[in-house]
Amino acid sequence: MSTEGKNTHSNSDKKTESFKISGDWTKQSEQLKDKFSQLTDSDLKFEPGKENELLQRVETRLNKKREEVINIINKCEV
């Protein structure tokens, strides 16, 4: 018997491939600024289709990895 078919990485890999903002971004960004005073309006400026640029700005400002930033943003979903 073989256990080759077990791939446990596919679900976590998909999260890092594409990230979409959901909910009210204006409220979410206010919560993020309250929680992380170093974030600015320009760091949190969101344009549809440019989610990766937003993530990169926040990653740089907070000195955190992409997955951490996504988790932080997801916790602020309104």
Side-chain angles (χ1 to χ4, degrees):
M1 291 187 112
S2 173
T3 57
E4 283 179 43
K6 292 187 178 181
N7 182 355
T8 57
H9 298 294
S10 61
N11 287 344
S12 61
D13 290 346
K14 284 185 180 178
K15 265 192 174 179
T16 57
E17 286 174 17
S18 66
F19 172 75
K20 298 287 180 210
I21 299 292
S22 60
D24 185 339
W25 180 246
T26 305
K27 288 181 181 176
Q28 289 179 45
S29 63
E30 290 300 320
Q31 288 180 357
L32 289 167
K33 283 193 294 185
D34 288 345
K35 195 169 185 177
F36 301 98
S37 58
Q38 66 268 48
L39 290 173
T40 66
D41 287 332
S42 55
D43 291 331
L44 296 169
K45 182 181 179 192
F46 170 65
E47 294 178 46
K50 296 189 176 182
E51 288 88 347
N52 284 332
E53 291 175 24
L54 167 70
L55 287 174
Q56 287 173 342
R57 289 191 303 267
V58 176
E59 284 171 43
T60 301
R61 184 69 72 177
L62 297 180
N63 194 27
K64 294 193 180 290
K65 293 180 181 175
R66 178 183 173 96
E67 291 78 18
E68 291 176 284
V69 171
I70 290 172
N71 286 335
I72 290 167
I73 290 173
N74 286 339
K75 286 179 185 172
C76 289
E77 277 187 14
V78 178

